């Protein structure tokens, strides 16, 4: 039986499982390693990620892992390709395919995500290396002047072009429009901007005739800015996020997998749990595609030292298990 895009998308959000985002670019992972005074080299990055991928029972909680280009080409210490380490446990390898957010012409402080030129060839190679899904992140900044019409529409268009190309290559696109938490704005502003961004993204996906049954949406939660004095309750964030998604995301989309953004790892879990407790008969699964909210604890426990491997893996599995419970609304 051939596996359809919808089959892959559904498998990624099955049974309270979620996605580990381990696709930090070389620059970003260096920042993470700097925070634990560990040098970032190709072998330290490999060792760290291999420990995550081989954590005992990872397959109970994690359906897929988003990799960075380097990792998809790397082998484990014993010579097994890292993608195969995942596949052998029934975990689906994915790949980040955008080339980063670059300055948007004429709009100081705003960005457009690049990487469409030559993307078809890169996608075909990634598929041959075992990737079954992909990620592209558009970034939106809230200030008094932004996001501008230009940033909203340019990023939505790029996300849709990317999604169409990923589906053509037989891979599920994760469509990630991220409204950053930076700033003093309150939850009302975040909600209004999130609705405008999501509407534009789904309009462009329709224009490019992307099959909605074969995508996953990776949005921010609706939450006040990091520097806003008014921080909302867990239930308020959950309700506002659910209201926004119900207004903007078609029922054909099989799953919504949140990013954690600048939230603490425990809040990211509590918010997802609250949404699954509050939401009844939702058309889509609500799960996670966390980077920092899954990795902050194991990174600290590891500290770049091989003797901490067991503690590191235990810290990761605890975060994965808690988020898996949150994905079914059963986190205490
Ligand atoms: P965070 O959960 O750390 O926001 O990362 C998710 C991600 O993949 C951002 O693109």
């Amino acid at each position: 039986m051939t596996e359809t895009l919808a089959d892959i998308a559904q498998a990624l959000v099955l049974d309270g499982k979620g996605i580990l985002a381990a696709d930090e670019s070389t620059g970003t992972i260096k920042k993470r390693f700097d925070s634990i005074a560990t040098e970032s080299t190709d072998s330290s990055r490999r060792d760290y990620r291999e420990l995550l991928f081989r954590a005992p029972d990872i397959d109970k909680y994690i359906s897929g892992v988003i990799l960075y280009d380097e990792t998809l080409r790397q082998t484990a210490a014993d010579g097994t390709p890292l993608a195969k380490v995942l596949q052998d446990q029934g975990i689906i390898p994915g790949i980040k395919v955008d080339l980063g957010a670059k300055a948007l012409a004429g709009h100081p402080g705003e960005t457009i995500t690049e990487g469409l030129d030559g993307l078809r060839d890169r996608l075909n190679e990634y598929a041959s290396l075992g990737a079954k899904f992909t990620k592209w992140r558009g970034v939106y900044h809230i200030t008094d002047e932004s996001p501008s019409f230009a940033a909203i529409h340019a990023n939505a268009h790029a996300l849709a072009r990317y999604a169409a190309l990923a589906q053509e290559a037989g891979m599920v696109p994760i469509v990630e429009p991220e409204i950053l938490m930076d700033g003093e704005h309150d939850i009302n502003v975040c909600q209004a901007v999130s609705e405008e961004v999501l509407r534009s993204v789904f309009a462009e996906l329709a224009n490019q005739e992307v099959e909605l049954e074969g995508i996953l949406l990776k949005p921010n939660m609706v939450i006040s800015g990091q520097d806003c004095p008014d921080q909302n309750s867990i239930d308020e964030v959950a309700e506002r996020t659910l209201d926004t998604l119900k207004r903007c995301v078609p029922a054909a989309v099989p799953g919504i997998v949140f990013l954690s953004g600048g939230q603490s790892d425990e809040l990211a879990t509590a918010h997802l749990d609250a949404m699954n407790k509050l939401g009844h008969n939702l058309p889509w699964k609500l799960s996670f595609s966390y980077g920092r909210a899954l990795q902050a604890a194991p990174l600290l426990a590891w500290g770049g030292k091989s003797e901490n491997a067991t503690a590191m893996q235990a810290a990761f599995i605890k975060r994965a298990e808690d988020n898996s419970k949150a994905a079914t609304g059963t986190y205490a």
Side-chain angles (χ1 to χ4, degrees), residues 259-272:
L259 59 95
S260 58
Q263 302 181 57
S264 75
D265 50 7
E266 280 171 13
L267 259 185
T269 307
H271 287 145
L272 175 61

Side-chain angles (χ1 to χ4, degrees), residues 9-279:
Q10 285 164 21
L12 286 166
V13 289
L14 200 65
D15 301 334
K17 287 187 194 174
I19 296 169
L20 166 65
D23 60 331
E24 298 85 4
S25 63
T26 308
T28 301
I29 194 85
K30 180 180 182 310
K31 278 189 228 153
R32 306 272 189 269
F33 280 20
D34 283 348
S35 74
I36 53 162
T38 296
E39 197 188 348
S40 177
T41 62
D42 49 1
S43 59
S44 67
R45 294 190 288 273
R46 190 275 310 277
D47 290 347
Y48 170 71
R49 286 169 168 152
E50 182 177 353
L51 283 173
L52 290 175
F53 303 168
R54 290 196 194 274
D57 288 340
I58 178 181
D59 57 312
K60 283 191 189 162
Y61 315 113
I62 301 293
S63 54
V65 177
I66 314 173
L67 304 171
Y68 185 58
D69 181 273
E70 173 187 75
T71 319
L72 187 57
R73 301 173 193 282
Q74 265 175 333
T75 53
D78 69 1
T80 313
L82 286 174
K84 186 161 189 301
V85 170
L86 295 172
Q87 287 161 338
D88 287 349
Q89 303 176 85
I91 297 171
I92 306 172
I95 179 79
K96 183 232 297 288
V97 303
D98 69 66
L99 298 179
K102 306 288 160 62
L104 178 65
H107 295 80
E110 295 198 278
T111 56
I112 174 68
T113 300
E114 295 189 350
L116 288 173
D117 289 353
L119 182 57
R120 175 180 278 121
D121 293 340
R122 291 197 293 125
L123 287 167
N124 287 332
E125 191 201 0
Y126 289 143
S128 76
L129 291 168
K132 288 198 174 178
F133 71 102
T134 59
K135 183 190 102 172
W136 178 292
R137 173 173 173 259
V139 187
Y140 306 83
H141 309 253
I142 296 183
T143 66
D144 288 345
E145 288 84 39
S146 65
S148 63
F149 178 91
I152 290 173
H153 289 271
N155 278 292
H157 180 77
L159 278 163
R161 290 271 324 278
Y162 139 76
L165 282 161
Q167 291 192 335
E168 181 191 86
M171 291 184 284
V172 165
I174 294 187
V175 174
E176 180 179 10
E178 175 175 8
I179 297 154
L180 296 177
M181 284 176 69
D182 301 351
E184 295 178 3
H185 57 272
D186 66 15
I187 196 168
N188 297 312
V189 173
C190 181
Q191 182 162 23
V193 172
S194 297
E195 289 184 10
E196 196 179 353
V197 164
L198 288 171
R199 288 201 178 98
S200 77
V201 167
F202 281 97
E204 289 290 347
L205 289 170
N207 289 344
Q208 298 302 324
E209 300 177 36
V210 171
E211 180 194 327
L212 295 184
E213 290 80 356
I215 73 165
L216 294 175
L217 177 71
K218 177 164 175 169
N220 53 282
M221 295 183 194
V222 174
I223 194 164
S224 53
Q226 238 151 6
D227 299 324
C228 177
D230 213 6
Q231 294 294 326
N232 307 91
S233 68
I234 289 168
D235 279 350
E236 179 79 17
V237 170
E239 279 169 27
R240 294 292 197 105
T241 306
L242 280 178
D243 287 347
T244 299
L245 295 172
K246 284 184 202 161
R247 288 172 190 163
C248 305
V249 184
V253 174
I256 297 174
V257 289
F258 294 98
L259 59 95
S260 58
Q263 302 181 57
S264 75
D265 50 7
E266 280 171 13
L267 259 185
T269 307
H271 287 145
L272 175 61
D273 182 62
M275 279 184 253
N276 277 309
K277 282 192 167 86
L278 285 166

